[in-house]
Amino acid sequence: AGKKMTNSKKANGLFLTMTVCIICFYLFGKGLVTGLPVSIRLISSEIVYLIPVLLCLLIGRDSIGKLIPHRAPRISTLLMTILFVLLLEPLMTCLNVFTMLFSTNYVLETRSDLSIISVPLQLICIAVVPAVLEEFMFRGVFAGYYREKGILTAALLSGLVFGLFHLNFNQFGYAFALGVAFALLLEGTGSIFYGMFAHFLINGFSVIITALSDKILPLTGEESIAAVAESMTTETLVNTFCVYAVIAAVSTCLAGAVYIWIVKHSGRTAYLEKNWKGSGEKKVSPVFLIGVVLCLGFMVWRDFWA
């Protein structure tokens, strides 16, 4: 029992340590990388996340192979993962539009920086690197540590951590939803590679759509996708949200059906049923709560006061 509790405590301690590191980087370290190329700046933020995770694994002497399921991917399951991702897109858009009603869309704000680098390099920095590193950290390590609490709790906690570490309310909504979905995908397939693939698809799709929009929109008289977003009134956002909420309600249910198929196809139904709920303590750790409060406090400051 002590070892099991140790895993959860490791996750909570890692969460708080990473929170402090990332907030300090945003407040004091951004100036150090300002003069560096955009691609290096993007990857540097991933490194800030990665260092505490690697140190935690090293100090805890945890076997990555045992902690993170890593079956070789199958073509049939990869194809179903594409469908799973496509069906989650309306939910992402719905949550994105909803949070834009009261918070800043920082992804759109970075478009001017990204436009100076090539699309292939954008794909490497925004799709490939985050897909590998973030899945390793959040679905591999965090969900792996929390697995003793049961698959559902591990998915929710690792998803919450993933959402909070975006440090803004706009990205928090859809990052939390995707974090939960990717954690369930890992457990349902017995492999982290499907989550990496799904993560790459979502980020890559965003890069390509934005790049195409930036070429097509000027022909219609608009400057860029960011300009279009900025010109959207509250009424337009509310109407868009309502439309996507209906679409998302249907598509997310279909995504759930696809997920069940993936689980059955992967032979993981019995595993999920057995481990869906854990036997460990359910009370929330004060260390975890401090991390949550620090993240939320920073997000409020960044979105409303900075």
Side-chain angles (χ1 to χ4, degrees):
K3 189 176 185 302
K4 283 188 175 183
M5 283 305 297
T6 300
N7 275 349
S8 290
K9 285 179 179 178
K10 280 181 192 174
N12 295 332
L14 177 60
F15 172 48
L16 182 57
T17 302
M18 287 175 73
T19 299
V20 173
C21 289
I22 293 155
I23 290 175
C24 286
F25 177 73
Y26 269 89
L27 293 176
F28 311 112
K30 282 285 186 179
L32 299 175
V33 296
T34 302
L36 297 175
V38 177
S39 54
I40 302 299
R41 294 210 308 267
L42 288 168
I43 293 172
S44 68
S45 59
E46 297 288 338
I47 301 302
V48 173
Y49 287 81
L50 184 62
I51 291 171
V53 174
L54 293 178
L55 287 174
C56 183
L57 289 169
L58 191 65
I59 293 167
R61 296 181 180 179
D62 296 303
S63 166
I64 294 174
K66 289 180 181 178
L67 187 67
I68 305 173
H70 55 280
R71 280 186 187 177
R74 298 160 68 187
I75 298 295
S76 55
T77 312
L78 287 171
L79 291 173
M80 292 306 285
T81 301
I82 295 173
L83 181 57
F84 181 64
V85 165
L86 290 173
L87 290 168
L88 287 176
E89 282 285 351
L91 176 63
M92 283 182 60
T93 303
C94 179
L95 293 170
N96 184 32
V97 172
F98 174 72
T99 51
M100 281 175 68
L101 286 165
F102 58 86
S103 64
T104 305
N105 189 320
Y106 290 98
V107 175
L108 290 175
E109 284 196 349
T110 60
R111 278 309 306 165
S112 57
D113 288 340
L114 291 172
S115 61
I116 65 174
I117 63 176
S118 67
V119 172
L121 188 54
Q122 285 185 49
L123 284 170
I124 291 169
C125 297
I126 297 171
V128 177
V129 173
V132 173
L133 295 186
E134 291 176 12
E135 289 309 303
F136 166 74
M137 292 184 283
F138 298 105
R139 261 60 69 185
V141 178
F142 273 102
Y145 280 155
Y146 284 129
R147 189 174 290 119
E148 69 193 34
K149 292 179 174 288
I151 289 169
L152 179 60
T153 302
L156 291 170
L157 288 177
S158 60
L160 180 60
V161 169
F162 182 58
L164 288 171
F165 276 163
H166 284 75
L167 294 180
N168 67 81
F169 286 105
N170 175 246
Q171 287 179 285
F172 169 78
Y174 59 80
F176 170 64
L178 287 176
V180 173
F182 291 164
L184 293 177
L185 188 62
L186 179 148
E187 297 293 356
T189 58
S191 178
I192 195 170
F193 297 120
Y194 297 106
M196 289 179 175
F197 178 59
H199 199 143
F200 168 79
L201 288 176
I202 285 172
N203 287 18
F205 181 69
S206 176
V207 168
I208 291 167
I209 288 295
T210 305
L212 289 173
S213 299
D214 286 346
K215 288 186 176 181
I216 295 168
L217 285 173
L219 302 176
T220 66
E222 296 285 355
E223 292 179 17
S224 66
I225 196 167
V228 172
E230 284 175 13
S231 66
M232 292 178 77
T233 62
T234 301
E235 184 182 357
T236 306
L237 286 171
V238 170
N239 291 338
T240 305
F241 167 73
C242 291
V243 170
Y244 271 97
V246 174
I247 298 170
V250 177
S251 68
T252 305
C253 289
L254 292 173
V258 171
Y259 176 73
I260 291 168
W261 182 93
I262 289 172
V263 173
K264 288 180 179 177
H265 186 66
S266 304
R268 302 276 289 180
T269 306
Y271 168 78
L272 251 66
E273 288 173 352
K274 182 183 177 183
N275 298 287
W276 190 250
K277 291 184 178 180
S279 56
E281 269 186 57
K282 297 298 181 185
K283 67 179 184 180
V284 181
S285 160
V287 174
F288 185 82
L289 278 178
I290 292 169
V292 171
V293 170
L294 284 174
C295 284
L296 289 175
F298 181 84
M299 287 156 68
V300 169
W301 171 79
R302 188 183 184 191
D303 268 359
F304 306 112
W305 292 332

